[in-house]
Amino acid sequence: MKRIRTLTTKNLKQTMKKGGCGECQTSCQSACKTSCTVANQSCENK
Amino acid sequence: MVYQYIQNGYHIVLDVNSGSVHVVDKVVYDVISDYKEHSREDIAEAIRNKYPAEQLADADINEIFSEIEQCIGQGTLFTEDTYKKQITDYKKRDTYVKALCLHVAHDCNLACCYCFAGEGEYKGERSLMSYEVGKKALDFLVENSGNRINLEVDFFGGEPLMNFDTIKKLVAYGRSIEKEKRKNFRFTLTTNGVLLNKEVIDFLNKEMDNVVLSIDGRKEINDTMRPCKNGKGSYDLILSKIKETADSRKQQKYYVRGTFTHHNLDFDKDVLHLADEGFKQISVEPVVADPKEDYAILREDLPEIIKGYERLADELIKRKKEGNDFQFFHFMIDLEGGPCVYKRLSGCGSGTEYLAVTPQGDLYPCHQFVGQEEFLLGNVENGITNSKIRDMFKNCSVYAKEECADCFAKFYCSGGCAANAYYSHGDIHAVYELGCELQKKRVECAIMLKAAD
Ligand code: SF4
Ligand code: SF4
Protein backbone atom coordinates (compact mmCIF):
# COMPACT_ATOMS: atom_id res chain seq x y z
CA MET A 1 0.00 0.00 0.00
CA LYS A 2 1.22 3.46 -0.86
CA ARG A 3 -0.63 5.64 1.56
CA ILE A 4 -1.07 3.43 4.55
CA ARG A 5 1.95 2.04 6.35
CA THR A 6 0.83 -0.67 8.72
CA LEU A 7 3.22 -1.50 11.54
CA THR A 8 3.74 -5.12 12.36
CA THR A 9 1.52 -5.90 15.28
CA LYS A 10 0.36 -8.99 17.00
CA ASN A 11 -3.18 -9.79 15.96
CA LEU A 12 -5.11 -9.56 19.18
CA LYS A 13 -8.04 -11.63 17.93
CA GLN A 14 -5.73 -14.56 17.29
CA THR A 15 -4.55 -14.51 20.88
CA MET A 16 -8.04 -15.44 22.07
CA LYS A 17 -7.52 -18.88 20.59
CA LYS A 18 -4.70 -20.16 22.69
CA GLY A 19 -4.25 -17.40 25.22
CA GLY A 20 -5.26 -17.28 28.83
CA CYS A 21 -2.70 -19.73 30.18
CA GLY A 22 -1.74 -17.31 32.94
CA GLU A 23 1.98 -18.09 33.02
CA CYS A 24 2.86 -14.47 32.37
CA GLN A 25 4.04 -12.01 34.98
CA THR A 26 1.67 -9.98 37.08
CA SER A 27 1.59 -6.35 36.12
CA CYS A 28 1.32 -3.73 38.77
CA GLN A 29 0.49 -0.29 37.44
CA SER A 30 1.10 1.83 40.43
CA ALA A 31 3.93 4.26 40.92
CA CYS A 32 5.39 2.61 43.98
CA LYS A 33 6.26 -0.51 42.06
CA THR A 34 7.74 -0.07 38.70
CA SER A 35 4.53 0.02 36.92
CA CYS A 36 3.95 -1.14 33.44
CA THR A 37 1.56 -1.02 30.67
CA VAL A 38 0.57 -4.63 30.17
CA ALA A 39 1.62 -4.25 26.60
CA ASN A 40 5.30 -4.25 27.40
CA GLN A 41 5.17 -7.65 28.98
CA SER A 42 6.08 -10.80 27.26
CA CYS A 43 4.00 -13.86 26.65
CA GLU A 44 5.33 -17.10 28.13
CA ASN A 45 3.36 -19.28 25.78
CA LYS A 46 4.76 -18.67 22.35
CA MET B 1 -13.26 1.28 17.46
CA VAL B 2 -10.68 3.49 15.78
CA TYR B 3 -8.57 6.08 17.54
CA GLN B 4 -6.61 8.73 15.65
CA TYR B 5 -4.03 11.25 16.71
CA ILE B 6 -1.21 13.32 15.31
CA GLN B 7 2.09 13.57 17.10
CA ASN B 8 5.46 14.69 15.86
CA GLY B 9 4.10 14.91 12.33
CA TYR B 10 2.92 11.29 12.31
CA HIS B 11 -0.73 10.69 11.51
CA ILE B 12 -1.55 7.62 13.50
CA VAL B 13 -4.61 5.43 13.21
CA LEU B 14 -5.03 2.82 15.88
CA ASP B 15 -7.55 0.06 15.32
CA VAL B 16 -8.18 -0.65 18.96
CA ASN B 17 -9.75 -4.09 18.86
CA SER B 18 -7.24 -5.75 16.56
CA GLY B 19 -4.29 -3.80 17.95
CA SER B 20 -3.28 -2.67 14.45
CA VAL B 21 -1.38 0.56 14.00
CA HIS B 22 -1.42 2.44 10.71
CA VAL B 23 0.70 5.44 9.85
CA VAL B 24 -1.05 7.36 7.10
CA ASP B 25 -0.88 10.61 5.17
CA LYS B 26 -3.13 13.49 6.11
CA VAL B 27 -5.73 12.87 3.43
CA VAL B 28 -6.17 9.24 4.44
CA TYR B 29 -6.35 10.44 8.04
CA ASP B 30 -9.28 12.69 7.16
CA VAL B 31 -11.03 10.03 5.13
CA ILE B 32 -10.78 7.48 7.94
CA SER B 33 -12.21 9.90 10.46
CA ASP B 34 -15.32 10.39 8.31
CA TYR B 35 -15.50 6.87 6.96
CA LYS B 36 -18.20 5.49 9.23
CA GLU B 37 -20.34 8.61 9.36
CA HIS B 38 -20.57 9.73 5.75
CA SER B 39 -21.09 8.33 2.28
CA ARG B 40 -18.18 7.84 -0.06
CA GLU B 41 -19.44 10.63 -2.31
CA ASP B 42 -19.68 13.09 0.57
CA ILE B 43 -16.23 12.25 1.83
CA ALA B 44 -14.73 12.58 -1.66
CA GLU B 45 -16.44 15.92 -2.05
CA ALA B 46 -15.17 17.17 1.29
CA ILE B 47 -11.55 16.27 0.64
CA ARG B 48 -11.68 17.71 -2.86
CA ASN B 49 -12.74 20.97 -1.27
CA LYS B 50 -10.05 20.77 1.35
CA TYR B 51 -7.04 19.78 -0.77
CA PRO B 52 -6.15 21.51 -4.07
CA ALA B 53 -6.65 19.48 -7.22
CA GLU B 54 -2.96 19.41 -8.10
CA GLN B 55 -2.30 17.59 -4.82
CA LEU B 56 -5.16 15.19 -5.10
CA ALA B 57 -6.39 13.67 -8.35
CA ASP B 58 -9.45 11.46 -8.63
CA ALA B 59 -7.13 8.50 -9.01
CA ASP B 60 -5.70 9.30 -5.60
CA ILE B 61 -9.12 9.33 -4.04
CA ASN B 62 -9.89 5.93 -5.51
CA GLU B 63 -6.58 4.65 -4.26
CA ILE B 64 -7.31 5.89 -0.76
CA PHE B 65 -10.64 4.14 -0.62
CA SER B 66 -9.20 0.96 -1.98
CA GLU B 67 -6.41 0.89 0.60
CA ILE B 68 -8.88 1.50 3.41
CA GLU B 69 -11.07 -1.32 2.11
CA GLN B 70 -8.04 -3.55 1.95
CA CYS B 71 -7.35 -2.92 5.64
CA ILE B 72 -10.93 -3.61 6.56
CA GLY B 73 -10.79 -6.85 4.56
CA GLN B 74 -7.65 -7.90 6.41
CA GLY B 75 -9.27 -7.23 9.77
CA THR B 76 -6.99 -4.36 10.69
CA LEU B 77 -9.45 -1.48 10.59
CA PHE B 78 -12.87 -0.93 12.13
CA THR B 79 -12.84 -4.30 13.83
CA GLU B 80 -15.45 -5.08 16.46
CA ASP B 81 -14.93 -5.78 20.12
CA THR B 82 -15.74 -9.47 20.37
CA TYR B 83 -14.03 -10.11 23.68
CA LYS B 84 -16.46 -9.03 26.33
CA LYS B 85 -18.23 -12.32 26.95
CA GLN B 86 -15.08 -14.40 26.94
CA ILE B 87 -13.26 -12.07 29.28
CA THR B 88 -16.19 -11.92 31.68
CA ASP B 89 -16.32 -15.72 31.72
CA TYR B 90 -12.58 -15.93 32.07
CA LYS B 91 -12.69 -13.75 35.12
CA LYS B 92 -15.06 -16.23 36.77
CA ARG B 93 -12.57 -19.08 36.55
CA ASP B 94 -10.80 -20.37 39.63
CA THR B 95 -7.74 -18.26 40.11
CA TYR B 96 -4.38 -19.28 41.46
CA VAL B 97 -1.87 -17.21 43.32
CA LYS B 98 1.24 -16.61 41.25
CA ALA B 99 2.91 -13.64 42.85
CA LEU B 100 3.60 -12.41 46.35
CA CYS B 101 4.88 -9.11 47.57
CA LEU B 102 6.75 -9.95 50.76
CA HIS B 103 6.97 -7.03 53.11
CA VAL B 104 10.06 -8.28 54.83
CA ALA B 105 10.65 -5.00 56.64
CA HIS B 106 8.13 -2.51 57.84
CA ASP B 107 10.90 -0.14 58.68
CA CYS B 108 13.05 2.22 56.67
CA ASN B 109 16.37 4.03 56.80
CA LEU B 110 15.16 7.01 54.78
CA ALA B 111 12.28 9.37 55.46
CA CYS B 112 10.77 10.00 52.02
CA CYS B 113 7.98 12.55 52.17
CA TYR B 114 5.58 10.82 49.82
CA CYS B 115 6.01 7.31 51.18
CA PHE B 116 2.63 5.60 51.07
CA ALA B 117 3.97 3.22 53.67
CA GLY B 118 4.41 6.06 56.18
CA GLU B 119 8.21 5.74 56.34
CA GLY B 120 7.85 2.01 56.15
CA GLU B 121 5.45 1.46 58.98
CA TYR B 122 2.14 1.05 57.13
CA LYS B 123 0.08 2.31 60.03
CA GLY B 124 1.51 -0.39 62.23
CA GLU B 125 4.57 -0.91 64.36
CA ARG B 126 8.05 -1.07 62.95
CA SER B 127 8.71 -4.73 62.38
CA LEU B 128 10.71 -7.27 60.43
CA MET B 129 9.39 -10.47 58.93
CA SER B 130 10.74 -13.58 60.58
CA TYR B 131 12.11 -16.48 58.56
CA GLU B 132 9.25 -18.68 59.80
CA VAL B 133 6.57 -16.32 58.51
CA GLY B 134 8.40 -15.91 55.19
CA LYS B 135 8.75 -19.66 54.79
CA LYS B 136 5.04 -20.13 55.39
CA ALA B 137 4.38 -17.48 52.80
CA LEU B 138 6.43 -19.36 50.20
CA ASP B 139 4.67 -22.60 51.12
CA PHE B 140 1.32 -20.85 50.81
CA LEU B 141 2.32 -19.60 47.37
CA VAL B 142 3.41 -23.03 46.15
CA GLU B 143 0.25 -24.70 47.48
CA ASN B 144 -2.07 -22.14 45.95
CA SER B 145 -0.44 -21.81 42.58
CA GLY B 146 -2.10 -24.74 40.79
CA ASN B 147 -0.19 -25.66 37.66
CA ARG B 148 1.62 -22.38 37.37
CA ILE B 149 5.33 -22.95 37.06
CA ASN B 150 6.70 -19.43 37.31
CA LEU B 151 6.12 -17.87 40.70
CA GLU B 152 7.10 -14.30 41.45
CA VAL B 153 8.24 -13.15 44.83
CA ASP B 154 9.09 -9.51 45.36
CA PHE B 155 11.01 -8.44 48.45
CA PHE B 156 9.52 -5.15 49.42
CA GLY B 157 9.26 -2.87 52.40
CA GLY B 158 9.83 -0.42 53.94
CA GLU B 159 13.40 -1.10 53.04
CA PRO B 160 13.82 -4.85 52.50
CA LEU B 161 17.60 -4.83 52.88
CA MET B 162 17.08 -3.99 56.57
CA ASN B 163 16.17 -7.67 56.78
CA PHE B 164 18.83 -9.04 54.45
CA ASP B 165 19.53 -12.20 56.47
CA THR B 166 15.94 -13.32 56.21
CA ILE B 167 15.92 -12.60 52.49
CA LYS B 168 18.97 -14.81 52.00
CA LYS B 169 17.42 -17.63 53.97
CA LEU B 170 14.11 -17.35 52.15
CA VAL B 171 15.77 -17.44 48.76
CA ALA B 172 17.73 -20.52 49.83
CA TYR B 173 14.52 -22.15 51.04
CA GLY B 174 12.75 -21.30 47.79
CA ARG B 175 15.55 -22.77 45.72
CA SER B 176 15.58 -25.91 47.86
CA ILE B 177 11.95 -26.76 47.06
CA GLU B 178 11.74 -25.61 43.43
CA LYS B 179 12.65 -28.90 41.86
CA GLU B 180 10.50 -31.17 43.94
CA LYS B 181 7.49 -28.86 43.65
CA ARG B 182 8.11 -28.23 39.94
CA LYS B 183 8.14 -24.49 40.32
CA ASN B 184 10.45 -21.74 39.25
CA PHE B 185 10.82 -18.79 41.60
CA ARG B 186 11.52 -15.40 40.13
CA PHE B 187 12.76 -13.20 42.90
CA THR B 188 12.86 -9.44 42.67
CA LEU B 189 13.73 -6.71 45.13
CA THR B 190 12.99 -3.02 45.47
CA THR B 191 15.50 -0.96 47.42
CA ASN B 192 16.39 2.64 48.21
CA GLY B 193 20.05 1.75 47.77
CA VAL B 194 21.33 2.79 51.19
CA LEU B 195 22.47 -0.68 52.22
CA LEU B 196 23.90 -1.83 48.93
CA ASN B 197 27.46 -3.13 49.21
CA LYS B 198 29.60 -5.72 47.46
CA GLU B 199 28.16 -8.67 49.33
CA VAL B 200 24.56 -7.58 48.76
CA ILE B 201 25.17 -6.79 45.09
CA ASP B 202 26.74 -10.21 44.48
CA PHE B 203 23.80 -11.88 46.10
CA LEU B 204 21.29 -9.83 44.10
CA ASN B 205 23.09 -10.60 40.86
CA LYS B 206 23.00 -14.29 41.58
CA GLU B 207 19.41 -14.57 42.74
CA MET B 208 17.27 -11.65 41.63
CA ASP B 209 15.50 -11.60 38.30
CA ASN B 210 15.04 -7.90 38.59
CA VAL B 211 16.11 -5.19 40.99
CA VAL B 212 14.38 -1.87 41.37
CA LEU B 213 16.57 0.97 42.61
CA SER B 214 14.84 4.10 43.83
CA ILE B 215 16.19 7.54 42.99
CA ASP B 216 14.18 10.54 41.83
CA GLY B 217 16.55 12.22 39.39
CA ARG B 218 18.37 15.52 39.83
CA LYS B 219 20.07 15.94 43.19
CA GLU B 220 17.92 18.83 44.41
CA ILE B 221 14.74 17.01 43.39
CA ASN B 222 15.79 13.74 44.96
CA ASP B 223 16.95 15.39 48.14
CA THR B 224 13.77 17.38 48.71
CA MET B 225 11.58 14.30 48.65
CA ARG B 226 14.02 11.59 49.71
CA PRO B 227 15.83 12.83 52.81
CA CYS B 228 17.68 10.69 55.31
CA LYS B 229 16.40 10.46 58.85
CA ASN B 230 18.67 13.33 59.84
CA GLY B 231 17.08 15.54 57.21
CA LYS B 232 20.02 15.52 54.82
CA GLY B 233 19.44 14.49 51.24
CA SER B 234 20.12 10.90 50.18
CA TYR B 235 21.45 11.53 46.67
CA ASP B 236 25.15 11.53 47.47
CA LEU B 237 24.76 8.52 49.68
CA ILE B 238 23.09 6.30 47.11
CA LEU B 239 24.15 7.40 43.63
CA SER B 240 27.46 5.57 43.45
CA LYS B 241 25.94 2.45 44.99
CA ILE B 242 23.11 2.16 42.57
CA LYS B 243 25.43 2.91 39.68
CA GLU B 244 27.67 0.09 40.79
CA THR B 245 24.65 -2.21 41.02
CA ALA B 246 23.39 -1.27 37.57
CA ASP B 247 26.81 -1.72 35.99
CA SER B 248 27.40 -5.02 37.72
CA ARG B 249 24.15 -6.23 36.14
CA LYS B 250 25.45 -5.09 32.74
CA GLN B 251 22.72 -2.44 32.64
CA GLN B 252 20.06 -5.12 32.35
CA LYS B 253 17.37 -6.63 34.54
CA TYR B 254 17.11 -3.66 36.80
CA TYR B 255 15.40 -0.29 36.85
CA VAL B 256 16.14 2.96 38.46
CA ARG B 257 12.80 4.31 39.39
CA GLY B 258 11.81 7.70 40.57
CA THR B 259 8.64 9.47 41.50
CA PHE B 260 7.75 12.92 40.28
CA THR B 261 5.44 15.28 42.07
CA HIS B 262 3.79 18.66 41.73
CA HIS B 263 7.21 20.14 42.55
CA ASN B 264 8.97 18.79 39.45
CA LEU B 265 6.52 18.78 36.59
CA ASP B 266 9.56 19.05 34.32
CA PHE B 267 10.34 15.46 35.31
CA ASP B 268 11.68 14.79 31.83
CA LYS B 269 14.80 16.60 33.05
CA ASP B 270 15.08 14.05 35.83
CA VAL B 271 14.77 11.20 33.39
CA LEU B 272 17.50 12.71 31.25
CA HIS B 273 19.63 13.35 34.28
CA LEU B 274 19.48 9.65 35.13
CA ALA B 275 20.26 8.79 31.51
CA ASP B 276 23.23 11.17 31.55
CA GLU B 277 24.47 9.44 34.69
CA GLY B 278 24.68 6.29 32.60
CA PHE B 279 21.50 4.44 33.52
CA LYS B 280 19.90 2.57 30.65
CA GLN B 281 16.69 1.36 32.31
CA ILE B 282 14.68 4.20 33.69
CA SER B 283 11.24 4.64 35.10
CA VAL B 284 9.98 7.90 36.58
CA GLU B 285 6.35 8.05 37.54
CA PRO B 286 3.70 10.39 38.87
CA VAL B 287 3.18 10.30 42.61
CA VAL B 288 -0.11 9.00 43.92
CA ALA B 289 -1.09 11.14 46.85
CA ASP B 290 -3.90 12.62 48.83
CA PRO B 291 -4.90 15.80 46.94
CA LYS B 292 -4.44 17.71 50.19
CA GLU B 293 -0.67 17.18 50.15
CA ASP B 294 1.31 20.06 48.68
CA TYR B 295 3.21 17.68 46.39
CA ALA B 296 0.09 15.97 44.98
CA ILE B 297 -0.43 16.18 41.24
CA LEU B 298 -3.40 18.33 40.33
CA ARG B 299 -5.62 18.47 37.31
CA GLU B 300 -4.10 21.80 36.29
CA ASP B 301 -0.67 20.14 36.18
CA LEU B 302 -1.70 17.87 33.32
CA PRO B 303 -0.79 20.13 30.37
CA GLU B 304 2.71 20.60 31.77
CA ILE B 305 3.19 16.87 32.38
CA ILE B 306 1.92 16.05 28.93
CA LYS B 307 4.45 18.45 27.45
CA GLY B 308 7.10 16.69 29.52
CA TYR B 309 6.19 13.34 27.97
CA GLU B 310 6.30 14.87 24.50
CA ARG B 311 9.70 16.43 25.10
CA LEU B 312 10.96 13.13 26.39
CA ALA B 313 9.68 11.24 23.37
CA ASP B 314 11.40 13.72 21.03
CA GLU B 315 14.64 13.40 22.96
CA LEU B 316 14.46 9.60 22.79
CA ILE B 317 14.18 9.73 19.01
CA LYS B 318 17.16 12.03 18.89
CA ARG B 319 19.29 9.92 21.20
CA LYS B 320 18.41 6.76 19.36
CA LYS B 321 19.75 8.28 16.15
CA GLU B 322 22.93 9.18 18.00
CA GLY B 323 23.24 5.63 19.31
CA ASN B 324 22.85 6.90 22.84
CA ASP B 325 19.38 5.78 23.78
CA PHE B 326 17.90 4.28 26.91
CA GLN B 327 14.69 2.59 27.89
CA PHE B 328 12.00 4.69 29.45
CA PHE B 329 9.78 2.09 31.03
CA HIS B 330 6.53 3.90 30.36
CA PHE B 331 7.15 4.20 26.66
CA MET B 332 7.95 0.56 26.20
CA ILE B 333 5.33 -1.25 24.29
CA ASP B 334 5.66 -4.50 22.46
CA LEU B 335 3.41 -4.31 19.43
CA GLU B 336 4.64 -7.51 17.82
CA GLY B 337 4.56 -9.58 20.97
CA GLY B 338 3.00 -8.74 24.25
CA PRO B 339 0.50 -10.80 26.15
CA CYS B 340 -2.80 -12.25 24.99
CA VAL B 341 -6.11 -10.44 25.21
CA TYR B 342 -7.07 -12.28 28.40
CA LYS B 343 -4.14 -10.79 30.17
CA ARG B 344 -4.55 -7.39 28.58
CA LEU B 345 -8.12 -6.96 29.67
CA SER B 346 -8.15 -8.59 33.03
CA GLY B 347 -6.15 -6.19 35.12
CA CYS B 348 -3.28 -6.48 37.53
CA GLY B 349 -4.53 -9.50 39.42
CA SER B 350 -4.39 -7.85 42.83
CA GLY B 351 -6.40 -9.75 45.42
CA THR B 352 -6.43 -12.94 43.37
CA GLU B 353 -3.18 -13.76 41.58
CA TYR B 354 -1.08 -11.24 43.40
CA LEU B 355 -1.11 -10.74 47.17
CA ALA B 356 0.93 -8.81 49.69
CA VAL B 357 2.18 -10.37 52.93
CA THR B 358 2.93 -8.28 56.03
CA PRO B 359 5.78 -9.05 58.46
CA GLN B 360 3.17 -10.76 60.64
CA GLY B 361 1.96 -12.96 57.78
CA ASP B 362 -1.31 -11.15 57.05
CA LEU B 363 -2.52 -11.23 53.46
CA TYR B 364 -3.75 -8.13 51.62
CA PRO B 365 -4.87 -7.65 47.98
CA CYS B 366 -1.65 -5.80 47.19
CA HIS B 367 1.06 -3.67 48.77
CA GLN B 368 -1.08 -0.54 48.43
CA PHE B 369 -3.81 -2.01 50.63
CA VAL B 370 -1.56 -3.22 53.40
CA GLY B 371 -2.73 -1.92 56.74
CA GLN B 372 -6.28 -1.16 55.54
CA GLU B 373 -8.11 -3.47 57.91
CA GLU B 374 -11.23 -3.77 55.76
CA PHE B 375 -9.12 -5.37 53.04
CA LEU B 376 -7.51 -8.03 55.21
CA LEU B 377 -7.88 -11.29 53.28
CA GLY B 378 -6.44 -13.82 55.71
CA ASN B 379 -2.96 -14.97 56.64
CA VAL B 380 -0.25 -17.33 55.47
CA GLU B 381 -1.20 -19.89 58.10
CA ASN B 382 -4.89 -20.31 57.24
CA GLY B 383 -4.92 -18.91 53.73
CA ILE B 384 -7.63 -16.65 52.38
CA THR B 385 -10.55 -16.52 54.76
CA ASN B 386 -12.24 -13.36 53.57
CA SER B 387 -13.48 -14.58 50.19
CA LYS B 388 -15.85 -11.63 49.87
CA ILE B 389 -12.96 -9.25 49.37
CA ARG B 390 -11.24 -11.65 47.02
CA ASP B 391 -14.35 -11.94 44.88
CA MET B 392 -14.67 -8.20 44.75
CA PHE B 393 -11.17 -8.01 43.27
CA LYS B 394 -11.80 -10.95 41.01
CA ASN B 395 -14.37 -8.91 39.17
CA CYS B 396 -11.92 -6.21 38.16
CA SER B 397 -11.43 -6.03 34.43
CA VAL B 398 -11.75 -3.54 31.64
CA TYR B 399 -15.35 -4.61 31.20
CA ALA B 400 -16.25 -3.90 34.80
CA LYS B 401 -15.67 -0.20 34.19
CA GLU B 402 -17.76 1.91 31.88
CA GLU B 403 -14.97 4.41 31.23
CA CYS B 404 -12.61 1.69 30.06
CA ALA B 405 -15.00 0.15 27.57
CA ASP B 406 -14.71 3.20 25.31
CA CYS B 407 -11.08 3.91 26.00
CA PHE B 408 -8.54 3.42 23.22
CA ALA B 409 -5.85 2.52 25.74
CA LYS B 410 -7.66 -0.46 27.23
CA PHE B 411 -5.45 -3.13 25.65
CA TYR B 412 -2.35 -1.42 26.97
CA CYS B 413 -3.62 -0.34 30.35
CA SER B 414 -5.91 -3.18 31.43
CA GLY B 415 -8.17 -0.99 33.47
CA GLY B 416 -5.91 0.91 35.77
CA CYS B 417 -4.97 0.45 39.37
CA ALA B 418 -7.53 -0.69 41.92
CA ALA B 419 -5.69 1.08 44.68
CA ASN B 420 -5.64 4.40 42.85
CA ALA B 421 -9.34 3.97 42.22
CA TYR B 422 -9.99 3.20 45.84
CA TYR B 423 -7.94 6.08 47.22
CA SER B 424 -9.46 8.58 44.81
CA HIS B 425 -13.08 7.38 44.79
CA GLY B 426 -13.50 4.90 47.61
CA ASP B 427 -14.32 2.19 45.08
CA ILE B 428 -11.91 -0.28 43.53
CA HIS B 429 -14.09 -0.45 40.42
CA ALA B 430 -13.82 3.27 39.69
CA VAL B 431 -11.17 4.85 37.50
CA TYR B 432 -8.64 7.47 38.58
CA GLU B 433 -9.11 10.07 35.85
CA LEU B 434 -5.82 11.87 36.31
CA GLY B 435 -3.99 8.59 35.99
CA CYS B 436 -6.01 7.80 32.88
CA GLU B 437 -5.04 11.04 31.15
CA LEU B 438 -1.39 10.30 31.76
CA GLN B 439 -1.69 6.66 30.80
CA LYS B 440 -3.30 7.61 27.51
CA LYS B 441 -0.60 10.14 26.76
CA ARG B 442 2.11 7.58 27.46
CA VAL B 443 0.47 5.05 25.15
CA GLU B 444 0.28 7.69 22.43
CA CYS B 445 3.96 8.50 22.84
CA ALA B 446 4.92 4.82 22.89
CA ILE B 447 3.08 4.12 19.64
CA MET B 448 4.46 7.26 18.02
CA LEU B 449 7.97 6.08 18.89
CA LYS B 450 7.23 2.83 17.06
CA ALA B 451 6.05 4.80 14.06
CA ALA B 452 9.32 6.73 14.14
CA ASP B 453 11.48 3.60 14.35
S1 SF4 C 1 -4.10 -2.51 42.62
FE1 SF4 C 1 -2.67 -0.98 41.78
S2 SF4 C 1 -0.93 -0.98 43.20
FE2 SF4 C 1 -2.08 -2.86 43.55
S3 SF4 C 1 -1.11 -4.42 42.23
FE3 SF4 C 1 -2.82 -3.54 41.08
S4 SF4 C 1 -1.95 -1.91 39.87
FE4 SF4 C 1 -0.46 -2.40 41.50
S1 SF4 D 1 -6.68 4.65 30.77
FE1 SF4 D 1 -8.33 4.72 32.29
S2 SF4 D 1 -10.22 4.45 31.10
FE2 SF4 D 1 -8.48 3.79 29.82
S3 SF4 D 1 -8.37 1.56 30.15
FE3 SF4 D 1 -6.96 2.59 31.59
S4 SF4 D 1 -8.16 2.84 33.48
FE4 SF4 D 1 -9.60 2.42 31.82
Side-chain angles (χ1 to χ4, degrees), chain B residues 327-339:
Chain B
Q327 298 277 6
F328 179 61
F329 202 73
H330 268 149
F331 288 169
M332 283 161 65
I333 207 165
D334 183 357
L335 294 176
E336 293 167 45

Side-chain angles (χ1 to χ4, degrees), chain B residues 314-328:
Chain B
D314 291 351
E315 184 67 23
L316 270 165
I317 295 178
K318 194 174 130 232
R319 291 195 181 201
K320 189 154 192 187
K321 282 197 192 117
E322 297 166 359
N324 181 28
D325 63 338
F326 59 90
Q327 298 277 6
F328 179 61

Side-chain angles (χ1 to χ4, degrees), chain A residues 1-44 46, chain B residues 18-19 21-23 25 63 67 80 83 90 98 101 116 148-150 152 154 186 257 285-286 329-330 332 334-343 348 354 367-368 412-414 416 451:
Chain A
M1 286 191 283
K2 275 162 64 189
R3 294 176 166 266
I4 301 182
R5 172 164 69 95
T6 302
L7 307 187
T8 320
T9 53
K10 182 162 181 163
N11 187 316
L12 295 181
K13 296 233 150 138
Q14 292 296 330
T15 70
M16 288 303 276
K17 295 196 180 128
K18 68 171 211 167
C21 75
E23 275 297 337
C24 49
Q25 253 182 301
T26 54
S27 49
C28 173
Q29 309 205 341
S30 123
C32 46
K33 290 251 164 157
T34 275
S35 63
C36 37
T37 59
V38 270
N40 65 20
Q41 294 199 310
S42 51
C43 169
E44 303 266 354
K46 290 200 181 117
Chain B
S18 68
V21 180
H22 308 287
V23 187
D25 64 35
E63 183 179 74
E67 291 194 8
E80 295 295 320
Y83 309 119
Y90 179 72
K98 59 183 188 187
C101 180
F116 69 96
R148 299 286 174 280
I149 295 166
N150 296 312
E152 296 154 54
D154 188 31
R186 287 183 181 155
R257 64 157 304 280
E285 341 211 353
F329 202 73
H330 268 149
M332 283 161 65
D334 183 357
L335 294 176
E336 293 167 45
C340 63
V341 171
Y342 294 98
K343 166 77 180 176
C348 64
Y354 170 73
H367 55 288
Q368 282 274 8
Y412 311 98
C413 161
S414 87

Side-chain angles (χ1 to χ4, degrees), chain A residues 29, chain B residues 398 401-417 430-433 435-437 439-440:
Chain A
Q29 309 205 341
Chain B
V398 160
K401 306 180 183 190
E402 244 170 74
E403 292 85 346
C404 303
D406 298 325
C407 173
F408 81 89
K410 61 187 170 190
F411 289 99
Y412 311 98
C413 161
S414 87
C417 160
V431 299
Y432 168 59
E433 299 83 358
C436 293
E437 294 303 318
Q439 172 75 285
K440 290 182 210 173

Side-chain angles (χ1 to χ4, degrees), chain B residues 84-97:
Chain B
K84 183 169 178 174
K85 182 173 182 310
Q86 274 158 290
I87 299 299
T88 317
D89 289 348
Y90 179 72
K91 292 296 289 185
K92 293 193 192 125
R93 79 200 191 284
D94 287 336
T95 48
Y96 298 98
V97 186

Side-chain angles (χ1 to χ4, degrees), chain B residues 188-207:
Chain B
T188 56
L189 179 135
T190 302
T191 177
N192 62 24
V194 173
L195 295 174
L196 289 170
N197 60 30
K198 177 92 179 47
E199 184 206 344
V200 174
I201 294 173
D202 285 348
F203 173 79
L204 298 182
N205 291 350
K206 184 159 165 261
E207 299 290 0

